Amino acid sequence: MTTETHKKPGLETLRATISRLEGHSDRRRTVLPFGVREIDARLPGGGLALGALHEVAGGGNDALHSAAAGQFCAGIAARTRGTVLWIVTRQDVFAPSLKQVGLSARRTIFVEASSDVDVLACFEEGLRHGGLGAVVAEVARLSMTASRRLQLAAETSGSLGIAIRRWRRQTDAADFGQPTASVTRWRVSVLPSVPLPVPGVGRPRWLLELIRARAGECADFEVEACDAKGRLSPCIPVADRLALPATLADRPDQETTWTRRARA
């Protein structure tokens, strides 16, 4: 009995080690909810897993879709606690656009690396550090081996890792379809803004494609882009927007800034 007692902890440790090497974890992850019921319902645990690696790409190779993907990632990072490490290979990150979705430059450390190899090295070190709220890295190619190392580093520290897939050449885009150890994979495309009943530009809209979710379901979502606190909102049909002021006319306690502006 004594021998079995001593063997059992060793066996459990070995099983746990094998599970981590395979990219799995029995530990229940903390999640970061999006606050949009339709999205959170598709994700295990009801939100984006912390202590995990996630992939995001733009719906096209142009600057518009790339900017949307970057803002989507910044909105997620803005809702984490602690400093955010942002690693790039080219100096084209527009800090005010990140602040627009809640990520202040005061809590962001920008690092410029000369190649994907250096990006991945900084990415892994940042995730292993353990004192960062999120690590965001722009990378073109991400192999299964590299993604496993990043996933293990994120699991160990509990930090959120986001790989923004950007390509200098169109031929590199095919790499985005290759298997990786990422927990989720997203694609962000820009949609036309919903027309307002008053003059002005409506809130930006995105098509979010959840291409892969480990132990979850794939789905597409039309959402309004991140606000100043990094939060998404479900799209409201035009008919509902037009009816909103009349609905709230007799309920001044629920009057919104949008309603007041629409009636002005």
Side-chain angles (χ1 to χ4, degrees):
M1 184 178 293
T2 304
T3 305
E4 291 297 326
T5 303
H6 285 293
K7 282 184 178 180
K8 189 173 181 180
L11 182 60
E12 293 299 328
T13 302
L14 179 60
R15 286 174 176 170
T17 301
I18 294 174
S19 179
R20 287 197 300 272
L21 291 174
E22 290 178 341
H24 304 289
S25 176
D26 294 331
R27 180 178 55 190
R28 186 174 181 179
R29 290 194 183 96
T30 305
V31 300
L32 183 68
F34 281 98
V36 179
R37 184 183 59 184
E38 293 79 3
I39 301 178
D40 292 335
R42 297 279 184 166
L43 297 170
L48 201 66
L50 301 177
L53 175 67
H54 306 273
E55 287 181 74
V56 179
N61 294 327
D62 55 90
L64 191 63
H65 290 88
S66 295
Q71 284 196 312
F72 174 65
C73 297
I76 294 172
R79 294 185 293 112
T80 62
R81 296 182 179 180
T83 302
V84 175
L85 181 65
W86 197 294
I87 310 163
V88 300
T89 54
R90 39 189 163 177
Q91 296 181 2
D92 60 355
V93 177
F94 189 52
S97 70
L98 303 186
K99 185 177 181 180
Q100 186 180 9
V101 294
L103 184 57
S104 171
R106 293 185 177 181
R107 57 176 294 217
T108 308
I109 300 174
F110 294 100
V111 175
E112 183 182 3
S114 59
S115 66
D116 272 4
V117 174
D118 294 335
V119 169
L120 292 173
C122 294
F123 200 176
E124 184 176 349
E125 285 299 315
L127 289 174
R128 291 192 184 282
H129 182 271
L132 300 172
V135 182
V136 182
E138 299 178 2
V139 61
R141 304 183 70 84
L142 184 63
S143 66
M144 176 60 81
T145 301
S147 65
R148 278 181 174 172
R149 292 180 63 91
L150 295 171
Q151 174 63 23
L152 288 173
E155 286 184 0
T156 302
S157 66
S159 296
L160 175 69
I162 304 177
I164 304 180
R165 307 297 301 276
R166 295 185 64 184
W167 303 279
R168 296 178 185 269
R169 298 178 297 272
Q170 179 62 32
T171 54
D172 293 334
D175 186 71
F176 186 60
Q178 299 302 311
T180 65
S182 301
V183 174
T184 64
R185 178 180 289 175
W186 304 79
R187 187 160 50 205
V188 186
S189 303
V190 177
L191 295 176
S193 298
V194 175
L196 295 176
V198 292
V201 179
R203 184 171 169 180
R205 296 170 64 243
W206 297 335
L207 171 64
L208 295 183
E209 299 174 75
L210 179 55
I211 301 174
R212 179 181 184 272
R214 185 186 297 174
E217 300 179 29
C218 299
D220 298 343
F221 314 96
E222 290 189 10
V223 298
E224 293 186 340
C226 298
D227 60 14
K229 294 184 179 180
R231 297 189 178 279
L232 300 170
S233 297
C235 287
I236 303 176
V238 177
D240 293 344
R241 291 174 180 270
L242 294 174
L244 187 60
T247 303
L248 298 180
D250 299 326
R251 303 176 67 179
D253 57 311
Q254 295 189 21
E255 187 177 38
T256 63
T257 301
W258 180 87
T259 305
R260 289 194 296 271
R261 206 170 78 190
R263 293 199 305 199

